[in-house]
Amino acid sequence: MRRKLLSSVKTVQWIPPSGESRMTGMLEARPDWCLSRQRYWGTPIPVLHCEPCQQPILEVSVIEQIERTLARRGVEAWFTDAPNDLAPQARCPRCRGTQLRKDTDILDVWFDSGVSHEAVLKPREDLRWPASLYLEGSDQHRGWFQVSLIPAVALHGKPPYERVLTHGFVMDGEGRKMSKSLGNVIAPQEVIERYGADILRLWVASCDYREDVRISQVILEQTAETYRKIRNTFRYLLANLYDFDPARHSRPPAQWPEMDRWAIQRAQQLLDEIHQAYEAYQFHQVVRAVYQFCVVDLSAFYLDALKDRLYT
Ligand SMILES: [Zn+2]
């Protein structure tokens, strides 16, 4: 099983790539996974035992009967119904007796989340298995990513995801963890109230999430300034183009002034750059490229040079 898991890791695209060695190291070192827990509350282990023989009944057909009963009656039926009602055809494999009792252990909660791909992706027609992307904080190599991988490889021989993307955590402006006692917590709601949701969105998009990311009032002010520059560029373009009618005003490219051809070419370069960055999940590079284009290529050069043509 460990060998299968280790080779399955190589078939996944890890973003950032360091996720692969992290996961490999953890799988090499991990102990066996004990699936049962002795607790009152949780997902029951659907196994009946023969009372006289103390023998578990592990036949697939019996477990499937229990599955059908619980699908019909709800999982609470495991606790309220008699063993022979849960699986009417269950017999002890040794003595053929029907004096049965229910297992009292529950499943480790990580097993519940570890089979979510099975429960969510498989039954729904609009979704497909495996998932194209699993996305979580970098602490989940030990958690969700690993406990999802194990049942998938056991059941289907391959990972439940094609890509795994991990992000860092949000720190304050000096890179310290946020805490109430330090008084450096910045709540999303406060940012939205003070700056608007677009500033928060732009901040998220501009972060290099592969490492821990920083937020502070200074950083948010800078983000708001970036936003204003991009917005002003759009305003300028719209103010001059609102009455542009392609049917009446379009000219064939051969008649364009050289500078317009340059601007169109730069815009196309920008689009290519942005597409590549999105494909690689490098969202912060999209923001950087758009900002550079608006501020350097358009505002400082092209739109400035255009003034003579626009206002004469
Ligand atoms: Zn028996």
Side-chain angles (χ1 to χ4, degrees):
M1 189 67 203
R2 197 186 303 274
R3 201 164 31 83
K4 279 190 197 165
L5 288 167
L6 288 169
S7 66
S8 80
V9 168
K10 297 192 181 77
T11 68
V12 175
Q13 185 193 353
W14 300 90
I15 307 158
S18 57
E20 178 171 347
S21 57
R22 222 174 124 77
M23 186 59 123
T24 300
M26 283 176 178
L27 286 168
E28 277 167 347
R30 70 157 294 141
D32 286 345
W33 184 3
C34 178
L35 291 179
S36 60
R37 293 286 184 276
Q38 292 74 48
R39 298 273 186 284
Y40 286 109
W41 198 86
T43 305
I45 294 179
V47 169
L48 300 172
H49 298 256
C50 173
E51 198 77 274
C53 309
Q54 291 300 313
Q55 185 83 352
I57 305 174
L58 297 173
E59 284 156 56
V60 173
S61 64
V62 172
I63 293 171
E64 281 174 349
Q65 269 187 59
I66 298 170
E67 186 188 345
R68 280 194 296 274
T69 306
L70 297 187
R72 200 179 62 243
R73 304 241 310 112
V75 73
E76 290 300 313
W78 176 261
F79 303 99
T80 55
D81 289 18
N84 307 87
D85 293 333
L86 289 164
Q89 285 145 44
R91 298 271 179 289
C92 169
R94 192 188 283 174
C95 71
R96 308 305 298 160
T98 56
Q99 202 188 330
L100 309 173
R101 69 169 176 84
K102 295 176 278 188
D103 201 294
T104 53
D105 283 5
I106 62 160
L107 285 162
D108 177 18
V109 286
W110 278 112
F111 190 80
D112 292 18
S113 53
V115 294
S116 58
H117 52 82
E118 198 71 20
V120 176
L121 300 181
K122 283 278 170 76
R124 282 180 52 172
E125 274 180 21
D126 55 331
L127 297 173
R128 63 183 185 88
W129 195 101
S132 51
L133 181 72
Y134 264 40
L135 162 80
E136 272 281 354
S138 50
D139 55 338
Q140 295 299 322
H141 289 107
R142 191 178 298 284
W144 193 44
F145 301 142
Q146 198 178 130
V147 297
S148 300
L149 184 69
I150 296 170
V153 170
L155 287 168
H156 310 296
K158 61 180 203 170
Y161 35 65
E162 291 164 352
R163 285 165 213 88
V164 171
L165 184 149
T166 46
H167 54 78
F169 292 89
V170 180
M171 304 289 167
D172 74 4
E174 275 85 58
R176 293 172 304 178
K177 252 178 119 165
M178 287 191 192
S179 73
K180 270 192 187 143
S181 55
L182 280 174
N184 59 353
V185 178
I186 296 182
Q189 200 57 41
E190 289 166 25
V191 179
I192 292 168
E193 273 161 28
R194 181 155 168 199
Y195 297 94
D198 277 343
I199 304 298
L200 187 63
R201 291 190 185 104
L202 187 63
W203 171 77
V204 171
S206 65
C207 288
D208 184 354
Y209 60 81
R210 293 169 296 182
E211 306 285 330
D212 286 342
V213 298
R214 295 179 181 199
I215 193 167
S216 67
Q217 296 305 334
V218 174
I219 292 169
L220 286 167
E221 290 291 348
Q222 287 164 357
T223 309
E225 187 53 32
T226 302
Y227 174 84
R228 272 192 289 277
K229 290 223 166 100
I230 294 172
R231 190 167 184 274
N232 285 342
T233 307
F234 274 101
R235 272 172 61 140
Y236 188 86
L237 292 173
L238 288 171
N240 287 290
L241 289 171
Y242 71 96
D243 57 353
F244 181 82
D245 176 5
R248 281 176 44 224
H249 300 119
S250 285
R251 296 283 175 272
Q255 290 177 23
W256 296 351
E258 194 171 352
M259 212 159 73
D260 291 0
R261 285 208 293 269
W262 172 85
I264 295 284
Q265 195 211 0
R266 265 299 292 134
Q268 188 56 51
Q269 274 176 3
L270 174 73
L271 280 179
D272 293 344
E273 206 179 320
I274 287 174
H275 278 148
Q276 279 175 22
Y278 274 131
E279 291 294 329
Y281 300 92
Q282 305 277 307
F283 309 116
H284 64 289
Q285 287 184 1
V286 175
V287 175
R288 192 191 45 77
V290 168
Y291 178 77
Q292 291 280 323
F293 181 70
C294 287
V295 172
V296 179
D297 295 321
L298 292 185
S299 283
F301 178 62
Y302 181 64
L303 299 178
D304 194 52
L306 226 54
K307 274 185 188 135
D308 293 343
R309 243 201 290 165
L310 287 169
Y311 300 116
T312 52

